[in-house]
Amino acid sequence: MIRVVFFDLDDTLVDTSRLAELARKNAIENMIQHGMPVDFDTAYNELLELINEYGSNFPHHFDYLLRRLDLKYNPKWVAAGVIAYHNTKFAHIREVKHARKTLIKLREMGYRLGIITDGNPIKQWEKVLRLDLDDFFEHMIISDFEGVKKPHPKIYQKALKIFEVSPEEALMVGDRLYSDIYGAKRVGMHTVWFRYGKYANRELEYEEYADFKINDLLELPEILEVLKDGSNKEVPADR
């Protein structure tokens, strides 16, 4: 019987990809408006390459952007980028459709809830707190705090230990087949692939590790009812 439902955070509960794209575009536009002498496409594409190389949590994206564009360092331009980026995040952060409604339903059904996510702990907590989702979850297990990243088995094992449940008593829900689904399945957890965001059609070589596939989080209660009966055959895996 399932006792705990774990969720990934980005593009599973929080609409992160759409938000990040909008914030980055607004940052570049504001830097140009404040005098950075580069056209938008050139600067934006350079920023995307930089993020791909250094990661989204790198703290000096805009500083390095000026270096890559062979521009003299100008703190005004960097400040313009930082302001627009954060203002966009604060104004436009949103839950994934039906996320809150699903969490309320699962709590009503008696399930314990947790988050297993990669990323910077402060940034990840900021998303949860800004959306007022923290009361739904007993614990949030974050890779940069635990020292191990998905899909490594240890981060899932740490989560199971914190909740004091066996893998068979846990369900993992996530948008990434590799880090969320493959990772959780390797330790024996039940898995639900949420086909959402930029990974909805990627990493398909790991699709076999998904016990269930959904397009809407509101499908989760039905899946849990199926698992409660001790079978995963009644809900098609390709629905």
Side-chain angles (χ1 to χ4, degrees):
M1 177 182 289
I2 302 296
R3 295 171 57 195
V4 178
V5 180
F6 291 108
F7 289 86
D8 172 54
L9 184 61
D10 296 311
D11 284 340
T12 300
L13 295 173
V14 181
D15 202 347
T16 308
S17 293
R18 180 196 59 81
L19 177 65
E21 180 182 2
L22 181 61
R24 291 163 186 163
K25 287 181 176 179
N26 286 350
I28 295 298
E29 287 179 351
N30 205 37
M31 294 173 81
I32 293 172
Q33 287 175 10
H34 284 84
M36 187 174 72
V38 184
D39 68 273
F40 175 85
D41 289 340
T42 298
Y44 183 66
N45 290 331
E46 203 70 50
L47 177 62
L48 293 183
E49 287 189 16
L50 198 158
I51 292 168
N52 185 56
E53 292 173 21
Y54 286 88
S56 60
N57 290 319
F58 183 62
H60 303 294
H61 286 141
F62 300 126
D63 304 84
Y64 275 40
L65 176 62
L66 298 185
R67 298 180 190 180
R68 293 171 74 106
L69 294 170
D70 295 322
L71 296 174
K72 183 178 179 180
Y73 182 76
N74 187 324
K76 176 183 176 182
W77 300 340
V78 174
V82 171
I83 289 169
Y85 183 85
H86 286 293
N87 284 351
T88 302
K89 282 201 343 180
F90 299 157
H92 294 279
I93 188 169
R94 298 287 186 273
E95 304 157 13
V96 167
K97 184 180 179 181
H98 295 152
R100 186 177 299 271
K101 188 178 294 186
T102 299
L103 296 175
I104 292 171
K105 178 63 176 178
L106 296 185
R107 284 283 294 272
E108 290 174 348
M109 293 171 71
Y111 291 102
R112 301 168 65 195
L113 305 177
I115 292 174
I116 305 175
T117 179
D118 287 336
N120 178 289
I122 294 176
K123 286 186 176 182
Q124 298 304 72
W125 269 113
E126 181 186 13
K127 296 168 189 173
V128 171
L129 293 174
R130 284 192 177 278
L131 292 172
D132 196 25
L133 295 175
D134 53 306
D135 286 343
F136 287 107
F137 301 99
E138 292 184 32
H139 300 283
M140 185 155 75
I141 297 90
I142 308 174
S143 64
D144 286 11
F145 187 80
E146 300 295 340
V148 60
K149 190 175 182 178
K150 297 185 293 186
H152 198 291
K154 285 186 178 179
I155 193 166
Y156 293 100
Q157 291 163 350
K158 282 175 178 280
L160 294 169
K161 184 177 181 180
I162 289 170
F163 277 83
E164 298 182 321
V165 294
S166 67
E168 296 78 15
E169 295 174 310
L171 177 74
M172 179 67 194
V173 183
D175 67 301
R176 291 199 58 177
L177 281 168
Y178 177 58
S179 56
D180 300 321
I181 304 308
Y182 169 68
K185 196 63 181 174
R186 280 206 301 170
V187 301
M189 296 168 64
H190 300 275
T191 57
V192 176
W193 177 33
F194 178 37
R195 293 183 290 200
Y196 185 85
K198 64 183 180 181
Y199 285 96
N201 294 297
R202 300 185 188 179
E203 304 176 339
L204 298 180
E205 63 270 29
Y206 296 98
E207 190 172 357
E208 64 183 286
Y209 296 95
D211 295 321
F212 302 94
K213 305 163 195 175
I214 61 174
N215 297 310
D216 190 315
L217 291 174
L218 282 178
E219 297 175 59
L220 277 175
E222 180 184 354
I223 287 174
L224 286 161
E225 286 297 327
V226 169
L227 291 172
K228 189 175 181 180
D229 294 335
S231 168
N232 65 352
K233 302 300 183 183
E234 296 179 30
V235 179
D238 60 349
R239 63 178 300 160

